[in-house]
Amino acid sequence: MSSNETTQQFQTWMCLICGWVYDEAAGLPDEGIAPGTRWADVPMNWACPECGARKDDFEMVAF
């Protein structure tokens, strides 16, 4: 792992359907996704907890 990967900032991903935001730093512990889990490591079959949208319906956003 390069030092770039270890120092990369956590990102946020927003559902394009309902606007719900997944924050990599916070994770989603209630759904078994630990804090610090990168978006790429969220299971492909995971769905938005608000509207049920798939990962394909999310876009990275900066706040």
Side-chain angles (χ1 to χ4, degrees):
M1 187 180 298
S2 73
S3 61
N4 247 3
E5 289 177 80
T6 57
T7 59
Q8 182 181 8
Q9 295 292 318
F10 287 114
Q11 298 174 324
T12 51
W13 296 79
M14 184 176 71
C15 178
L16 298 174
I17 308 300
C18 73
W20 185 84
V21 174
Y22 172 75
D23 180 355
E24 292 178 338
L28 203 54
D30 291 347
E31 293 195 20
I33 301 173
T37 301
R38 298 289 184 185
W39 183 245
D41 297 325
V42 172
M44 214 44 202
N45 63 349
W46 177 85
C48 175
E50 291 294 313
C51 72
R54 299 180 335 205
K55 275 184 71 175
D56 291 346
D57 294 318
F58 280 71
E59 187 172 274
M60 198 269 292
V61 292
F63 287 103

